[in-house]
Structure formats: C-alpha cells, structure tokens
Amino acid sequence: MSDNPVGLDRLIGIFGDVLESGGVRPDSNFFLVGGDSLLATRVISRLRRDYDIDVTFAEFTQAPTPRALDQLLDSLAADSASR
Amino acid sequence: MTVPDVVVVGAGLAGLTAAHDLAARGADVLVLEARGRIGGRVRGVPLAPGLVTDGGAAYLGERHTAVRELLERFGLAVVSADEDGDSVFSLPGRSRSPFRVPPYDAAGLGELFEALHDLTAAVDPERPHAAAAELHELTAGQWIRRRVADPGALAFAPLYLGQLVAAEMDDLSALCLGYYLRSGGGLRYLNAFRSGAQEFRVAGGAQRIAESLAATLPRPPVLDTPVVRVEAGADGVSVVTRHGVHRAGVAVVALPPPLAAGVCGTAADGAVRGRAVKTHLLFDRPAWRDHGLSGWSLNDRGPLMYTVDVSPADGPGVLTGFATGQRAEEFAALPAPRRETVVRQQLAAVFPEIPQPREVVVTDWVTSRYSSGCYATLWKPGRWGGPPGPAGPAGRVVRCGTETSTEFYGFMEGAVRSGRRAAEQALTALAQPLQEDRR
C-alpha cells in the first residue's frame, strides 16, 4: 500500500507517458527502458506540478523504477507527517 | 559531350544520392558542384596522417535507415559515439556529473522538456500549415517563455536549442522548432547518444559516403562549376553555369532553399541560416579519460559551447567543440590566430586537468558561401518554407536536399531520403514526352 498521494499505478502511468511506452512495469528501470537524464526531469516536474512533491535528480537516480520511487515518496510523506 | 538525361545541381549527399539512383536505373547523369570538393555539409577534415574527422555532419542512429543502407552497400563501418565518464558543466561555475543534466533545478528543467514534448506533438510534418496559429506567429523563444517560467530552464533552453538546431531561440518560428523535433524522431531520440540520433559516426568520416556515391557515377561530378540559373522550357531544361549552358531532360536542384531559390528564380523569404562552427582539438591521447571524464561538456559561452569526444580507437585524443548561433558568428568573425587563442583559453577553463592540444582546426560553416546555413536552413515566424513545398518551377525541375524532407529534416538521413525521392520524380518526368517530340 502506498502512503503517498501518487501511488504505484500513477507512477507507472507517468513513466509510460514520458517514455511513450505502454510496457512500463513496477520494476522497469527508467534509464534501461529508453529514458535518459533529460527525460527524467519531466517525471520530476510532473511530481512537483501535479502533487507538489519535490524529488531531486540525485534521488530519482537512486529510485529509478516506479516501485522504488513509490517507496521514496512514501518515506517523504512519512517525513513530512512526522514533522 | 552528349546531352545528359539529368543534370544534378549540387554534390552534397542529396544530389549524389539522386545521381547514384538515377545512374543505377540507366539514366545518363551529369553532376555540377560549385565547390572544389564534393560532400556539401559533409566534409572530411584531415587532422593527422591517417586521421580524418567530421568537419560537418557526423552523427547517425538506428532509425536513419537510408544512410545505413548506403553504409552497408559501400562496406562502410560505424563507430559508437557514446563515451563513458562524467560530463562537465561551466554555467558559468564549473561542476561535473555522471549525468548530462545541467546543475539547475530538475523540476524546472522538466518544465522545458514537457513544453518541448507538447510542441513536438503539435506539429505534423505532412501538414505543417495545419498547426496552431501561435506556432506560426511566435518565435521558438517567445513560445518557450510563455510556457516556461523556471530561471534554470530558461538559462538552459538557448544552449539546448543551440545544440539541436544551431540557432538562437528567436531566430526561428515555434513551428520550425516543432517540425525539426518531430521529423527528427522526437525529443528522446534526438537527445540520446545511446539508442538515439547520435549513436554512431562513420568510421573514417561521413565524407566516405559521398565519395562512395560519387565513385559509382559513370561521369565524375564536375567541380568548381557554380550554377547560375536553371530554366525549364518546352523541350527540357537549361542549366546555366559561368562556363556555359548544359541542356538536359530534367534538372535535380540539390541545394539549400535560399540557393535553390536563387537559381530557380523562386522565393525563399523567411529563410534563416543555422550557424555553426566546429573546432577540432587534437591531443597526444584522450587524457580526460584518466580523470573519469567523457569529454562531453556544456558551457554557457563560446567558442566551445559543448564538446564531444571523437577520438579514434587506440589513437590520439580528439575533442570536437561546437559554437552555434550568435556565438558561432562572433567566433567566425575573429582572425585565425585569435580563434586558436580563445579556443585554448576556454579549453583550459573547461578541462583544466588535461594538457593543451597539439592542433586546433576550425571548420567554419558561418561564412561558407555554398551551404547557406548549417546544420540547416530554418524559417522565421509566419514564413514556413519547408516541406511539403513546391517541387520546383516546373515538373522538369525537381528539388531535393535535407530541407525538402518531411522525415529527418536537417539530418543526413533527410538528405538521402530526399535524393531517393528526387530520383523517382526525375525518372517519372523523363518518361513524359517532351512537347517537341509530339510535334
């Protein structure tokens, strides 16, 4: 279960949109399924624009799959809840 | 000399491809070239004994199938253009990164790429006139500034566009930028070295494609012969040079739009020259690799706005530096010794880790009379002059060139595809009886 407002399914949708691919899976690595560093900024931009969530480029490179990014967003959500 | 079936004007990749296809189909073809060399915007620059590098067009990718077919036919190999190692940014503070993302706010940069993605989707290369009015009316810069507010993204945008189309953001229409992006395969494809439009270079230089095409022609291209005028008449075409008049059944005009308009007596209003200067730096060895660097850098001033490693395997080190747009013009205006000084000064700032190059070789496309724009001719707001445009003043004058291609406009691939198409059109026109014959 996701504790963040985005969730795994929407992250898969964002990856698919940016990569123009219907084949993105929870464990698809953005950089291995056609994404590059400039396209990654589109994912980061959408998280800020649509969900007001800030992920740095370095954080994204450490969590480049929908599942890992979902977990990262969970921990960001938990951090801000405990603040 | 007998009257040829077809005169091809211009021995760049488009003209040579057309001539090659026509000759292969049995047509008698004469190629006229203004310069003292073939290749047009493809040019081999000798750097050292046995080492020729690309002074002009260089890169290709998997989707560039027409060029790849030529490579296969002529037994030419490709080399990978991708290099491992960190990128360097001087914007203006120096930083390095394992990624090619400049050190600006990533979400802000994403705004720019979201906008460019939308722009790409908004232009259909087969129907550019159907695009939204604002794309026709605004410069690319105006359009981007309406969509993007982030300061880092706005600082990066002109550098990114300079790299992509060799122009300033306000030189060309938003439509023209969208056209370039869409016909080139979209943002992701255009950005990438790995699996993208910059995946390969031709081993030994892309001019080998031009040389191989020319070598198949029964009549070698005639050099140093600028064409002044091409006229279509009832009984064929007249191609007027400074030295005389060539009569033929059909002319293929394989020139950039402004030059084609000049010889055909048509208009190319609103044409803007892409402006690029390529600088090659020859080193004893690629010493930047010892420091974990790829040789790729992005810099907010010229003459080296970005650099790329083009070293041959197991040989000396070679970096290519690009200046584009206004910076290309400023650099091209310098006297030769001064050019070398500013290149060496900037190199020392971008790559302080490595010794100075043995040689600095500048290939200037800004003042190059017979290219009229490099990488390509672009178009101002309200004046789209790219495809699908008029084929020429008459059916017996056929145009080609990368700027006539709906696919890969501005790329070698566009040139070759247009040359193939022109050969088909020329054969069709040749098959039409001349009015004279019907009398």
Side-chain angles (χ1 to χ4, degrees):
Chain A
M1 275 295 289
S2 291
D3 299 321
N4 66 74
V6 191
L8 185 58
D9 288 346
R10 287 205 195 92
L11 286 173
I12 291 172
I14 294 172
F15 272 44
D17 250 20
V18 169
L19 296 169
E20 293 172 48
S21 160
V24 174
R25 303 187 179 286
D27 294 308
S28 298
N29 183 323
F30 187 83
F31 296 103
L32 298 181
V33 294
D36 66 19
S37 49
L38 294 181
L39 285 186
T41 66
R42 289 182 57 200
V43 175
I44 295 169
S45 176
R46 287 197 184 193
L47 293 175
R48 181 188 286 177
R49 185 189 72 193
D50 297 340
Y51 301 98
D52 202 23
I53 295 173
D54 273 324
V55 172
T56 67
F57 183 75
E59 285 170 338
F60 183 82
T61 63
Q62 295 302 309
T65 69
R67 197 191 303 279
L69 189 55
D70 186 45
Q71 286 161 2
L72 171 70
L73 299 189
D74 279 349
S75 66
L76 291 176
D79 281 357
S80 67
S82 65
R83 226 172 265 151
Chain B
M1 197 189 272
T2 55
V3 173
D5 298 320
V6 182
V7 170
V8 174
V9 183
L13 277 188
L16 290 172
T17 298
H20 167 81
D21 282 15
L22 284 162
R25 304 274 286 272
D28 181 16
V29 185
L30 176 67
V31 181
L32 302 177
E33 168 56 45
R35 291 179 162 119
R37 61 171 180 84
I38 61 166
R41 285 170 272 183
V42 169
R43 178 173 197 179
V45 172
L47 280 186
L51 176 58
V52 175
T53 192
D54 290 300
Y59 294 102
L60 61 139
E62 206 65 63
R63 290 190 204 171
H64 298 164
T65 52
V67 173
R68 291 179 62 80
E69 262 183 59
L70 291 180
L71 295 174
E72 199 158 306
R73 186 176 315 163
F74 298 127
L76 300 175
V78 293
V79 292
S80 167
D82 194 34
E83 295 290 344
D84 291 334
D86 284 5
S87 307
V88 168
F89 298 92
S90 323
L91 301 169
R94 188 177 186 271
S95 58
R96 59 186 280 178
S97 160
F99 294 95
R100 288 192 183 146
V101 173
Y104 296 122
D105 176 64
L109 287 174
E111 279 182 37
L112 173 65
F113 289 104
E114 287 280 291
L116 293 177
H117 173 81
D118 293 346
L119 180 60
T120 306
V123 177
D124 174 358
E126 301 293 338
R127 300 169 62 236
H129 295 285
E134 72 161 5
L135 301 187
H136 289 272
E137 289 159 8
L138 300 179
T139 67
Q142 289 167 333
W143 188 88
I144 287 169
R145 290 187 289 268
R146 278 192 183 181
R147 290 281 310 258
V148 179
D150 181 80
L154 289 175
F156 179 57
L159 298 174
Y160 181 71
L161 262 61
Q163 186 171 359
L164 201 64
V165 296
E168 300 295 332
M169 299 209 294
D170 291 312
D171 288 346
L172 70 162
S173 65
L175 177 79
C176 186
L177 178 60
Y179 198 97
Y180 211 101
L181 290 166
R182 181 71 176 269
S183 93
L187 270 185
R188 192 206 68 74
Y189 192 70
L190 290 175
N191 277 340
F193 279 87
R194 206 165 292 163
S195 313
Q198 283 86 235
E199 189 166 9
F200 308 112
R201 288 180 284 111
V202 180
Q207 85 291 342
R208 295 185 68 187
I209 305 173
E211 289 164 0
S212 301
L213 284 166
T216 66
L217 301 176
R219 300 194 203 219
V222 179
L223 304 178
D224 297 309
T225 306
V227 167
V228 180
R229 216 164 55 247
V230 174
E231 288 166 357
D235 56 347
V237 296
S238 304
V239 177
V240 182
T241 75
R242 289 185 196 152
H243 315 303
V245 179
H246 294 274
R247 311 267 314 133
V250 172
V252 173
V253 177
L255 302 176
L259 299 178
V263 302
C264 295
T266 54
D269 293 346
V272 184
R273 297 160 57 99
R275 291 162 292 168
V277 179
K278 245 175 146 173
T279 300
H280 285 96
L281 302 111
L282 175 69
F283 301 85
D284 291 330
R285 39 185 304 279
W288 51 89
R289 293 178 190 168
D290 304 345
H291 302 274
L293 297 171
S294 67
W296 191 91
S297 71
L298 177 74
N299 312 300
D300 65 359
R301 58 189 187 90
L304 308 176
M305 290 170 63
Y306 35 101
T307 60
V308 185
D309 182 343
V310 295
S311 308
D314 308 320
V318 184
L319 287 181
T320 306
F322 292 81
T324 60
Q326 187 57 35
R327 293 173 182 88
E329 206 153 310
E330 288 160 10
F331 182 48
L334 298 177
R338 180 74 194 140
R339 285 180 181 177
E340 179 163 345
T341 306
V342 297
V343 167
R344 288 180 180 279
Q345 281 170 351
Q346 190 176 5
L347 182 85
V350 174
F351 293 113
E353 300 89 346
I354 61 171
Q356 280 286 325
R358 219 156 68 197
E359 299 264 2
V360 173
V361 179
V362 174
T363 310
D364 169 13
W365 296 97
V366 173
T367 58
S368 169
R369 178 173 172 195
Y370 291 119
S371 288
S372 181
C374 188
Y375 322 144
T377 299
L378 304 166
W379 301 94
K380 283 180 196 163
R383 299 288 185 88
W384 174 250
R396 291 192 166 269
V397 178
V398 175
R399 277 192 47 200
C400 63
T402 192
E403 289 97 341
T404 68
S405 183
T406 56
E407 298 162 315
F408 303 100
Y409 181 106
F411 291 80
M412 291 193 281
E413 179 70 12
V416 172
R417 290 191 189 197
S418 79
R420 283 179 166 185
R421 185 259 307 145
E424 293 300 328
Q425 282 178 288
L427 287 169
T428 304
L430 276 177
Q432 307 294 319
L434 293 166
Q435 284 179 23
E436 183 178 70
D437 302 337
R438 280 192 236 126
R439 270 187 225 130

